[in-house]
Amino acid sequence: MKQTTTSPCTPDILALWAHLAQAEGVRRVYLFGAGKHTDWFLNLIHNQPGPAIVGILDDHALDGQTKNGLPVLCPETADRSSCDAIVFSTDTFQAVFRKRCRTVFGDTILLVDLYQPTPQHSASSPVIAAGIAAGNETTVAICIHKRTKHLAELAQSLANQKEAPPFEVLCVLNDSPAEVVSAARAAMTKCLGKVRFVEEPHAGLSHARNRAIEECHVPWLVFLDDDAIPREHWLATLVSEAVRVGAMAAGGRTILRWDFERPEWFKPNYDHWLSIADFGPVTRPLVGKEFVVGANVIYHTMLFRDGLRFDTRLGRTGEDLISDEETVLNNAIRRAGYNIYYVGEAIVDHIVAPDRVNPQWLTKRAFAQGRSYRLRYEVDSNSADIKAETERRLSLFWSSLSTF
């Protein structure tokens, strides 16, 4: 671990440390890590207001070892009942420490990252967002390939956002022909005025989203589809709820909008093929096989600082309907110890395209999903649920054929 002698984050760290003591129930903590960073940190907080440190956790602790009078313990031997939270004493290995803590202590213990003051916790735990509450600037990224039909309405809905945090609109033009580039610029700037455009020459939605990650220089990155129309408090709700619950990733409520009469044969169990996420008007962690959709999703950009990206072997490319790039990314986020949250009051209306409401398109989409599962298995060996999910979806698809 590198030695830390000073830090531009020192005032924030001291503010967070003091805030911990004020948060309900956080009175005693373990530090995780017994290296040079802990020496620096203990010196930093000496005589500063904050919680009591009851011990130091370290995987290489020796019998009877102490540091500054504090016992140094292996995580497995620590008394879970003697602390309210675990503070990562590292500026380098947060993801490793987080995963280790979740393995040993489970999902209920409050974890605090000094350099990312948005700890992972359950909805009932104290909310400690001292550092992030003021950092709510947001980039709303819209990836555009060839569709421009709904951009004017989308731009107007963004211009009409109420109580939203400071945000910019970033349009990633992905292998778009010149006429699409021209139409997109005209539609978006008419209502919004200032819009940032970048061109990503590598075809594919994952390439476009990764370009958005590279172009985003503020705390929050939101992805919004070019045919998803946000309601007026959408962005304010999505960001504020993510901050409130300490989420690093969350998806809003995505509802299908039918601008034409829905055919009787198009049953509700087909809706998932059209990208819908509707678990009611609540904010909570996703459980089981629940998922968010890329039409309406927010990520804290700290997630991407170590190279996490969308896998470019997955995701739509032109007319190819390969998907699951979001699933692989979100699985990686969960393995790092974070929950994915659902924000039910952050609503977008996802416009249903008429050319997708026919047996031919549904068959093509289902076939592409099967290919997606195969690719996902190859790129994400931790996707142990793929076989069961494949069987479930195939069963739904074959049973639906009888209605055509």
Side-chain angles (χ1 to χ4, degrees):
M1 181 181 297
K2 62 184 180 183
Q3 182 174 2
T4 304
T5 56
T6 186
S7 170
C9 298
T10 295
D12 291 338
I13 290 175
L14 291 177
L16 175 61
W17 187 248
H19 186 76
L20 275 170
Q22 300 165 10
E24 181 180 355
V26 181
R27 296 291 180 268
R28 301 167 301 170
V29 302
Y30 280 119
L31 296 184
F32 198 123
K36 293 180 179 179
H37 185 281
T38 296
D39 294 332
W40 169 82
F41 179 67
L42 290 172
N43 182 64
L44 174 70
I45 63 171
H46 183 64
N47 290 332
Q48 296 292 326
I53 301 173
V54 297
I56 298 171
L57 307 180
D58 192 272
D59 285 324
H60 304 290
L62 303 176
D63 288 342
Q65 182 181 356
T66 62
K67 179 183 283 285
N68 285 37
L70 296 168
V72 180
L73 309 166
C74 288
E76 286 81 0
T77 65
D79 180 5
R80 166 66 178 83
S81 65
S82 68
C83 79
D84 306 308
I86 299 174
V87 177
F88 301 155
S89 181
T90 178
D91 57 355
T92 307
F93 301 116
Q94 290 95 328
V96 175
F97 282 18
R98 185 179 301 278
K99 185 174 182 179
R100 184 80 171 94
C101 286
R102 287 292 175 231
T103 300
V104 176
F105 298 102
D107 294 331
T108 59
I109 187 72
L110 179 67
L111 305 181
V112 181
D113 182 343
L114 296 169
Y115 295 91
Q116 177 193 307
T118 312
Q120 175 63 44
H121 52 74
S122 68
S124 60
S125 299
V127 176
I128 305 170
I132 204 170
N136 61 357
E137 297 89 350
T138 304
T139 292
V140 178
I142 304 165
C143 300
I144 301 167
H145 176 46
K146 290 184 178 179
R147 293 186 307 200
T148 60
K149 180 179 180 181
H150 303 291
L151 289 183
E153 182 182 2
L154 171 56
Q156 187 62 60
S157 70
L158 290 173
N160 293 340
Q161 289 295 297
K162 298 186 181 302
E163 302 176 349
F167 73 97
E168 70 160 350
V169 177
L170 171 68
C171 290
V172 181
L173 299 161
N174 183 218
D175 191 34
S176 303
E179 62 272 17
V180 170
V181 173
S182 178
R185 288 179 179 273
M188 296 300 294
T189 57
K190 180 179 179 180
C191 296
L192 284 168
K194 185 179 180 181
V195 178
R196 187 153 63 101
F197 292 89
V198 296
E199 297 190 25
E200 172 51 55
H202 295 95
L205 183 56
S206 289
H207 283 292
R209 286 175 168 167
N210 288 341
R211 179 63 181 273
I213 292 171
E214 300 297 334
E215 295 286 339
C216 181
H217 306 296
V218 295
W220 295 104
L221 174 60
V222 173
F223 287 106
L224 181 66
D225 273 8
D226 59 16
D227 56 356
I229 310 301
R231 300 189 185 179
E232 61 182 9
H233 287 96
W234 162 74
L235 189 59
T237 303
L238 191 60
V239 175
S240 65
E241 284 294 277
V243 170
R244 182 182 70 82
V245 300
M248 294 295 284
R253 190 177 181 186
T254 303
I255 299 173
L256 297 183
R257 190 182 99 182
W258 295 80
D259 291 341
F260 56 97
E261 185 175 356
R262 177 175 178 144
E264 290 187 8
W265 63 264
F266 200 92
K267 305 301 182 185
N269 63 327
Y270 304 161
D271 288 353
H272 67 97
W273 296 116
L274 301 176
S275 296
I276 181 175
D278 186 358
F279 307 114
V282 296
T283 296
R284 62 170 175 78
L286 294 176
V287 296
K289 297 186 183 304
E290 294 176 341
F291 58 89
V292 297
V293 295
N296 179 13
V297 67
I298 184 171
Y299 297 103
H300 197 284
T301 52
M302 293 288 283
L303 290 169
F304 304 119
R305 65 182 179 182
D306 293 326
L308 180 65
R309 295 294 185 271
F310 291 94
D311 195 299
T312 55
R313 290 168 289 184
L314 296 165
R316 306 288 173 85
T317 302
E319 300 301 318
D320 193 336
L321 300 178
I322 288 289
S323 58
D324 278 14
E325 76 284 2
E326 300 148 6
T327 301
V328 170
L329 182 84
N330 292 338
N331 283 347
I333 292 171
R334 281 171 161 150
R335 286 196 296 273
Y338 300 101
N339 283 324
I340 309 292
Y341 277 78
Y342 165 78
V343 181
E345 296 288 354
I347 303 172
V348 303
D349 295 297
H350 204 188
I351 300 172
V352 177
D355 62 0
R356 295 184 177 185
V357 186
N358 62 72
Q360 292 76 25
W361 187 88
L362 289 175
T363 302
K364 181 179 179 181
R365 175 68 182 85
F367 182 73
Q369 188 61 49
R371 293 169 55 219
S372 301
Y373 287 141
R374 173 59 184 268
L375 282 170
R376 187 170 127 205
Y377 180 77
E378 292 177 358
V379 305
D380 185 6
S381 59
N382 291 282
S383 294
D385 63 326
I386 290 178
K387 181 179 179 183
E389 180 65 7
T390 302
E391 291 174 349
R392 185 186 73 83
R393 289 222 183 183
L394 282 174
S395 176
L396 282 174
F397 175 66
W398 288 118
S399 65
S400 69
L401 288 180
S402 62
T403 66
F404 292 158

